[in-house]
Amino acid sequence: MESAINVLVSQFKTYAGKDGSANTLSKEEFQSLVTSQLPNFVKNASDPATIDQLMNSLDANNDGELTFLEFWQLIGSVANQHGGF
């Protein structure tokens, strides 16, 4: 399980770091991550309206970017939808 968490953190930082800040995902970085890394878990990931809606639902402080903790909510919801908890 630790290795899976390490991969999630590493992928987050890789995508978040594309604009210089590895601490948050911009909307463009989020869409890139979701489209390439979660294509089977997020339906219509290439649709900007889907990304806007998803980003808005995760962005707790409404700053237009996602911290890892905000992003982690998506992982929890994906696990829940796919026979998780």
Side-chain angles (χ1 to χ4, degrees):
M1 199 174 334
E2 286 180 10
S3 62
I5 292 170
N6 285 334
V7 169
L8 282 170
V9 171
S10 175
Q11 288 296 310
F12 177 90
K13 288 184 177 185
T14 296
Y15 282 85
K18 291 183 179 186
D19 71 359
S21 170
N23 296 322
T24 57
L25 289 168
S26 67
K27 182 167 50 171
E28 293 78 19
E29 291 166 335
F30 177 61
Q31 182 167 12
S32 179
L33 184 153
V34 168
T35 303
S36 64
Q37 300 298 317
L38 300 169
N40 298 313
F41 293 111
V42 177
K43 293 181 175 125
N44 302 318
S46 59
D47 177 16
T50 298
I51 294 300
D52 283 345
Q53 182 180 21
L54 191 52
M55 180 112 179
N56 289 337
S57 72
L58 297 171
D59 186 12
N61 63 357
N62 296 312
D63 66 353
E65 296 189 324
L66 297 179
T67 64
F68 184 78
L69 289 177
E70 290 170 330
F71 172 71
W72 187 256
Q73 296 174 70
L74 175 63
I75 304 306
S77 70
V78 165
N80 206 17
Q81 291 173 9
H82 294 278
F85 309 100

